[in-house]
Amino acid sequence: MAARAGTAGKLKSTPAAPREGAKPVGADKRVAIMEAALDLFRANGYRHTAMEDIAQAANVAKGTLYLYFKSKDELFEALARLLAARVQEDLDAVAKRDLPLQAKVLAILDAKLGFFYRWILSSPHAAELLAPKANLPGDIFDPVDGSFRAMLSKALKEGVRAGEIDPKAAGLTLDAALETLLAAAYGAEHGGGSEAQFRERLARIVTLTLRGLRP
Amino acid sequence: MAARAGTAGKLKSTPAAPREGAKPVGADKRVAIMEAALDLFRANGYRHTAMEDIAQAANVAKGTLYLYFKSKDELFEALARLLAARVQEDLDAVAKRDLPLQAKVLAILDAKLGFFYRWILSSPHAAELLAPKANLPGDIFDPVDGSFRAMLSKALKEGVRAGEIDPKAAGLTLDAALETLLAAAYGAEHGGGSEAQFRERLARIVTLTLRGLRP
Amino acid sequence: MAARAGTAGKLKSTPAAPREGAKPVGADKRVAIMEAALDLFRANGYRHTAMEDIAQAANVAKGTLYLYFKSKDELFEALARLLAARVQEDLDAVAKRDLPLQAKVLAILDAKLGFFYRWILSSPHAAELLAPKANLPGDIFDPVDGSFRAMLSKALKEGVRAGEIDPKAAGLTLDAALETLLAAAYGAEHGGGSEAQFRERLARIVTLTLRGLRP
Amino acid sequence: MAARAGTAGKLKSTPAAPREGAKPVGADKRVAIMEAALDLFRANGYRHTAMEDIAQAANVAKGTLYLYFKSKDELFEALARLLAARVQEDLDAVAKRDLPLQAKVLAILDAKLGFFYRWILSSPHAAELLAPKANLPGDIFDPVDGSFRAMLSKALKEGVRAGEIDPKAAGLTLDAALETLLAAAYGAEHGGGSEAQFRERLARIVTLTLRGLRP
DNA sequence: TATGAATGAGTATTCATTCAT
DNA sequence: GATGAATGAATACTCATTCAT
């Protein structure tokens, strides 16, 4: 259901390299740095990852990092931007597929939460990695959040129209139902475990919640 | 339903202070330090709160902190231990009350999650505060988690016996239903807002999930 | 003629230490740091003097420097402030003495220029030391400059009144004569050499210039 | 009186470029670099001017700078050498002119000091620009200083011979008078202001000093 | 010649912790 | 117990210089 579970371990597929076409070397290095950074951030947390460490892991000199990223914060931001882009891609892919209500909702939620889970939340330093996120410019995640919510809303509306669910039966407006579903789904992040366990958890939450919304 | 909303601002009610009886000054100082620390951690986050700041807020010298707590981490751990104790108290209080299924489940969840929300999660630095938590010794929250789960399990079992819910109808074992309910409830933490909004969110999640478990 | 040529090598005589009376240790350390800093600044220039070097020379840890001075710049500023205070002291001393015109003018100029020469200008890095000076808050040197000029002006006026000099004979107003004398005196800084040579140069400039102002 | 005020803005008039005749491009580039460097040094100071900045201003790549100058210091030295050459030219021009004592002395001093004032001293970063100068090999300014002193000495001697001045009357040997005049003249640099103000100051110093040397 | 990507030594500053008083 | 002066390890960032192309 996750569009690109198979490529989850690599960043290269998104060629966000500078001066595209001229020197693939630069692109490779930029990617290498980002990969090293993501690995180390996940392994050691943000503050405990020294630029020096990232440089070594990426096999470049410390100063080279600053050729590609103005600062440690900007490196982190670039990472966030990449992840956001990937989530958006997955959401777009889901939008094109014709799925029954529950599968659609699950796919949407998995596109967003699953991706984060894979990259960030499964790290023991997830919390620290999300802390700087709070300071990131809103334009990184806001658009993704927007389409995410829009898709979810659309799916629920279709479910109502098809008579599959009826928020009023549970005393909720459609918006309230959306927010509740969303919040509950976020809870799937908790509990740790493998990605499969996460997805199982998410699926069950969706199942129960949609059942709770039945007419 | 919130057992002790009125005392939420004080830590003193838990007389876990050492050397009790000899020098109340010491106990007071320990408490003063913890209160100052909790305030500052919530306000500024863990790393951005310097020991110097805590000392000043508690009106003691920096060195004094180390008379009561071996390190900054240990101070944080003591805080966590205190919060855990408070959650346990609330859970015990809920256990004694006779409530219908949904109210009981909600009370149990609120005792645990609500407390954290009040103290930690409502802080803009929640993420950072939970990061060190990951490193805390398991014996702090494990017992609380244990009785928490036990109570929830018991409530659900009674619900099954009373015919109010039937996990099998949703294709789940009782344990799976418990985990799912729990995970979904955790999701209430997300979304920010006031404590009232948090509780509203939690209530809705419980409502939907229990509805989803109906026979 | 130089009020305190004998104490030129020590800063201690100005007890600008903090928390005076409580712990002379702190005062000593502050002075030790300033002495070390002045020595190193003179020897190696501002930028090439690392805080680490100053700390070692003062026999304290690097962090200790920051207990007494907020930053390298502030340390430099404190030094400047001290020097300015010392010049002011010397000027005040000269003001109390009753001297013939030429001696008076020379004493005034020596109080200001001589002091700088001793401390700063005789360093091979004089220029670099004066560069940051440009960024210092005006309130450090402005008052000193003010009384310096005022004293010089007063001395010249008395000379005019006594018929010893007559700026008009050289086609100058008294103010123009003052500025010219002052500028010429500054020239004594150039040429290097010992302090004695500097003073000899200054004396000759004063002699010639005052002769040039004779009626 | 300023020999070449009109050409003050350009360095090209001194064809000291290497590889002359083969590739004027090279010469042009060398000149372009020096012009860019002088501009930036004056505007931002020595240390705050990055080689990268110079390269950009000169429209060449950073590495190209090192084809023409071994190091940043050597670039600065080349600049100094050029300025020294220009002063020498001006001095030579003055030597050929037949002028009365005071005008001659002023012209000589202006040739040297005025030139520096125009290029260096009038910069807010003068102090910093003169700091590296201290480390410059003596052969750059020593010859200029030599002929400068020689010319001044010759002028004074003629003044003595003509009965216009008499150092002995002021208790000085001719050499001492020379040194004193020279030092006083240097003082004209201080006080900032426009070039006109500088020249006014210099003229007054010369006037007063020569008056002081009258029989 | 010319380029510009890559290098890495150099440095100010913070803050948890210690310990003499 | 209480203090707070002293410590020093840890770390992001700059920029002159090199060198493969």
Side-chain angles (χ1 to χ4, degrees), chain C residues 77-212:
Chain C
E77 188 183 313
L79 236 28
R81 226 172 266 281
L82 180 57
L83 297 187
R86 294 294 301 275
V87 170
Q88 186 65 61
E89 280 180 51
D90 283 1
L91 286 175
D92 292 345
V94 171
K96 288 176 189 154
R97 298 170 62 193
D98 195 23
L99 294 169
L101 176 62
Q102 180 164 339
K104 185 109 196 177
V105 167
L106 185 53
I108 295 170
L109 289 168
D110 184 56
K112 181 165 189 220
L113 303 179
F115 200 84
F116 272 108
Y117 191 86
R118 217 145 44 225
W119 284 113
I120 304 290
L121 301 169
S122 58
S123 156
H125 299 87
E128 196 194 350
L129 296 180
L130 292 175
K133 173 193 159 184
N135 299 327
L136 292 178
D139 70 323
I140 297 182
F141 289 105
D142 285 354
V144 185
D145 277 351
S147 50
F148 168 67
R149 280 185 132 82
M151 285 177 64
L152 213 48
S153 180
K154 188 179 159 211
L156 289 186
K157 274 177 195 157
E158 286 173 1
V160 171
R161 200 173 313 136
E164 294 178 75
I165 58 173
D166 180 15
K168 281 175 219 145
L172 298 175
T173 65
L174 189 131
D175 268 3
L178 170 63
E179 294 302 331
T180 306
L181 169 60
L182 187 45
Y186 266 112
E189 292 168 357
H190 283 268
S194 70
E195 195 179 338
Q197 286 174 304
F198 161 78
R199 191 159 292 123
E200 174 76 16
R201 220 154 38 220
L202 182 59
R204 282 173 175 169
I205 289 172
V206 170
T207 302
L208 279 198
T209 311
L210 289 184
R211 275 177 61 95

Side-chain angles (χ1 to χ4, degrees), chain A residues 51-113:
Chain A
M51 291 298 264
E52 176 69 46
D53 298 337
I54 298 174
Q56 278 180 19
N59 269 318
V60 298
K62 209 188 328 181
T64 304
L65 299 186
Y66 291 87
L67 292 180
Y68 292 90
F69 305 96
K70 245 185 270 181
S71 65
K72 191 184 186 182
D73 277 358
E74 212 203 40
L75 170 52
F76 186 87
E77 187 183 314
L79 237 26
R81 225 172 265 281
L82 181 56
L83 296 187
R86 296 293 300 275
V87 170
Q88 186 65 61
E89 281 181 52
D90 282 1
L91 285 175
D92 292 345
V94 171
K96 289 176 189 155
R97 299 170 63 193
D98 195 24
L99 293 168
L101 176 63
Q102 182 165 337
K104 186 108 192 178
V105 167
L106 185 52
I108 295 171
L109 289 168
D110 185 56
K112 181 166 187 215
L113 302 178

Side-chain angles (χ1 to χ4, degrees), chain D residues 117-192:
Chain D
Y117 192 87
R118 218 147 42 226
W119 284 113
I120 303 290
L121 301 170
S122 58
S123 158
H125 300 87
E128 197 194 350
L129 295 179
L130 292 175
K133 172 193 160 186
N135 300 325
L136 293 178
D139 69 323
I140 297 181
F141 289 103
D142 284 355
V144 186
D145 277 351
S147 49
F148 169 67
R149 280 184 134 82
M151 285 177 65
L152 213 47
S153 179
K154 188 178 159 213
L156 289 185
K157 273 177 195 157
E158 287 172 1
V160 171
R161 201 173 311 137
E164 292 180 77
I165 58 174
D166 180 14
K168 282 174 217 146
L172 299 175
T173 64
L174 190 130
D175 267 2
L178 169 63
E179 294 301 330
T180 305
L181 170 60
L182 186 45
Y186 266 114
E189 291 168 358
H190 283 269

